[in-house]
Amino acid sequence: EVQLLESGGILVQPGGSLRLSCAASGFTFSSYVMSWVRQAPGKGLEWVSAISGSGGSTYYADSVKGRFTISRDNSKNTLYLQMNSLRAEDTAVYYCAKGRGVPTVMADFDYWGQGTLVTVSS
Amino acid sequence: EIVLTQSPATLSLSPGERATLSCRASQSVSSYLAWYQQKPGQAPRLLIYDASNRATGITARFSGSGSGTDFTLTISSLDPEDFAVYYCQQRSNWPLTFGGGTKVEIK
C-alpha cells in the first residue's frame, strides 16, 4: 500500500525558514517523480515543485522560484521542501504527491499525503 | 503559463442526476489532462488521467472526454458520495497548473 506522510508544518514568522519532509512507502521511491502541491485556506490547488526520480532535475512555480528548494533522499525514501524567505501568501496546506508512472517529469498525481499546514504570520 | 478555466463554479444537482463539468485550457494541452475529486478535509484523489482514462479503483460512473483545449468530466448518476470539489490539471507544459475547481453540491 502506497503511503505518503508529510511533516514539518508549523507557525513561522515572515522571512523565516522551514523544511518539510515526506516519508514514502509501498513503492519503489527512486523510480517516480515526486511533487509538492499546496492549498491556501479555502482556495484551490497550486503546484509548487517537482523532482525527477534520480533527483537530477527540479522544477518550480514562479511564485516560489529562488526561495524554495525541492530535494529527495532515495536511500531514506524521503522527499523534502526547503522553504526560505517565507511570506504570508505561502500559508497553505502542503501536500506531497507521487507522480503517476509516466516517462516524463511532467506528471499527474496518483497518490497524495494527508498534508501539513504551514502558517506564516507574525 | 497554461490557464485552466473550470465551469460552472458551482453545480447544484440532486442524487441520481447527471453532472457535466467543463475545463477549458488557454492553449492546447493535447490529451494531458487529469481530473481530481476533493472532499472537505481530505487530499485530492485522482479520477481521470490523460483526458479519458479512469484511475485505478474509480467507478465507471466517472468518465472524461476531450482533447486540445476543451475537456469534460461526466458523472453519469450522482451518488451521495460524489458531492465534492473537482479540479482539472494539465501536464503538457511547465508550470503544471490546476483549474479553479467546480463544487458539486446537493440541490
Side-chain angles (χ1 to χ4, degrees), chain A residues 17-111:
Chain A
S17 297
L18 193 58
R19 189 176 83 158
L20 305 183
S21 299
C22 171
S25 61
F27 63 103
T28 305
F29 183 68
S30 60
S31 295
Y32 291 90
V33 170
M34 297 295 295
S35 267
W36 290 97
V37 177
R38 68 185 180 182
Q39 188 169 35
K43 302 298 184 182
L45 301 170
E46 180 188 16
W47 171 79
V48 172
S49 182
I51 187 167
S52 62
S54 67
S57 298
T58 58
Y59 303 83
Y60 298 94
D62 284 347
S63 58
V64 306
K65 199 173 294 182
R67 300 188 298 123
F68 290 10
T69 302
I70 191 171
S71 63
R72 63 193 298 161
D73 185 336
N74 287 342
S75 69
K76 295 182 178 179
N77 288 352
T78 302
L79 176 72
Y80 302 102
L81 185 67
Q82 177 67 42
M83 309 165 67
N84 298 332
S85 302
L86 283 161
R87 306 166 179 167
E89 54 264 36
D90 296 318
T91 294
V93 173
Y94 285 73
Y95 294 102
C96 161
K98 171 185 169 292
R100 190 173 52 85
V102 293
T104 170
V105 185
M106 286 190 284
D108 40 44
F109 312 113
D110 55 359
Y111 290 94

Side-chain angles (χ1 to χ4, degrees), chain B residues 37-53:
Chain B
Q37 177 193 67
Q38 188 179 34
K39 297 179 181 179
Q42 296 185 15
R45 177 174 70 144
L46 179 66
L47 299 175
I48 301 288
Y49 65 89
D50 292 349
S52 61
N53 299 283

Side-chain angles (χ1 to χ4, degrees), chain B residues 76-90:
Chain B
S76 59
S77 176
L78 281 165
D79 186 273
E81 66 185 17
D82 299 335
F83 291 93
V85 180
Y86 293 84
Y87 295 96
C88 56
Q89 177 235 328
Q90 65 82 19

